[in-house]
Amino acid sequence: ASQYLRVLDANGGNGGNGGNGGTTSVVLATGGVVTINLFPGTTGPLSAIAATANGGNGGNGGVASGSNPEGGNGGTGGNGGTAGVGILGTVTFNGLNVVGQSSGQAILVQANGGGGGKGGDANSGIGQAGGGGFAGAGAGVNLTLGSTAVPATIRTSGNFAHGALVQSVGGGGGDGGVGAGFFTEGGAGAAGGNGGPVEVHALSPSVTTTGSTSVIATGSNSNTLLAQSIGGGGGSGGDTNSVAIGFSVAIGGNGGLGGNGGTVRVNLGQGIFASTSRLGGSGILAQSIGGSGGSGGSATSVGSSIFAMTIGGDGNAGGSGGPVSVTNDALITTWGDHAAGVQVQSIGGGGGKGGA
């Protein structure tokens, strides 16, 4: 009987999806005190109080080889959960004055989306590399300082030692896999996740004898309050490297869309917000920033052939910045160069570069 040798295709498996973040909440009760002192040699950034609810990253797609390989797709990143912090006491964060190193912040509130997994490569033959996994979205975060009955007190020192960082960032889209063969296409980059809504409220007692809510940052490059919603960057399209055997075709993968920034709202009642260093730092910095669009993959062909075609992948659009508002009834003071009292920004992401 005749026997045949059959070359089987080898397809890569898809990456697993990242898990979603849960719900986190921290309340420093009336009269509570938290003090953190960073010692020399400590590596930042660190926080005195942190509530984070971040999604997990998606897994990478499997690599494939054979006559008609298909790389596995990257897994989807998990969405952020919800995170909230309420302060009715005193938080002190003493960081370090090390050039080029961030100390951290007294308070961190964060709910970021997980990144998408990378698409699997396709090696040899007529192949298609796997696409990147979609990113998870950032979720809602909230910080409340003080109340109408009790003030909050925040003090920080050290380089890049912010009073509070309140942040929701979409995950980055997964990159497409790389193709290699004589007729191959790179995987597409996936879209970045959207940033979630960010809310900050500062309240003070109506009776002035009980004191006012205050945030004072004395270190260089330190903001009293930084509120951000940022879209994740789109994944890059996969490159292709074709080897000519009579003819060859190489097509780069397209980049992914950038995620959009979310809504940022800051509402400050009567109180004091002061950044006192001469070396940078702002009073209030509120931002919604769109993620950058992913770049297209490049396409190259090597060797000699009768027919060779290379097509670079398309770059994709950046995300949009969202609405940002700051309502202020507080005293805000800054000192030094480039030290804005209140800086409000809505910034669109840059478009991705086309593949060569």
Side-chain angles (χ1 to χ4, degrees), residues 1-29:
S2 298
Q3 294 182 344
Y4 298 91
L5 176 64
R6 182 180 180 184
V7 178
L8 298 177
D9 299 335
N11 296 333
N14 295 328
N17 296 334
N20 296 328
T23 299
T24 60
S25 178
V26 177
V27 175
L28 182 63

Side-chain angles (χ1 to χ4, degrees), residues 108-226:
L108 173 65
V109 192
Q110 191 177 68
N112 297 343
K118 180 182 180 298
D121 299 340
N123 299 322
S124 75
I126 302 174
Q128 169 68 61
F134 291 103
V141 290
N142 181 281
L143 171 64
T144 301
L145 300 174
S147 71
T148 56
V150 180
T153 302
I154 312 296
R155 300 288 184 268
T156 69
S157 64
N159 191 39
F160 287 102
H162 308 302
L165 173 59
V166 188
Q167 188 179 64
S168 179
V169 183
D175 295 336
V178 175
F182 60 87
F183 194 125
T184 58
E185 183 173 355
N194 295 330
V198 175
E199 297 267 356
V200 178
H201 302 276
L203 306 171
S204 290
S206 55
V207 179
T208 57
T209 56
T210 58
S212 298
T213 289
S214 62
V215 181
I216 299 177
T218 62
S220 57
N221 306 299
S222 299
N223 302 307
T224 64
L225 177 61
L226 178 56

Side-chain angles (χ1 to χ4, degrees), residues 28 32-38 47-49 90-94 155:
L28 182 63
V33 177
V34 176
T35 301
I36 297 294
N37 299 308
L38 300 189
S47 307
I49 293 177
T90 300
V91 182
T92 302
F93 180 84
N94 295 316
R155 300 288 184 268

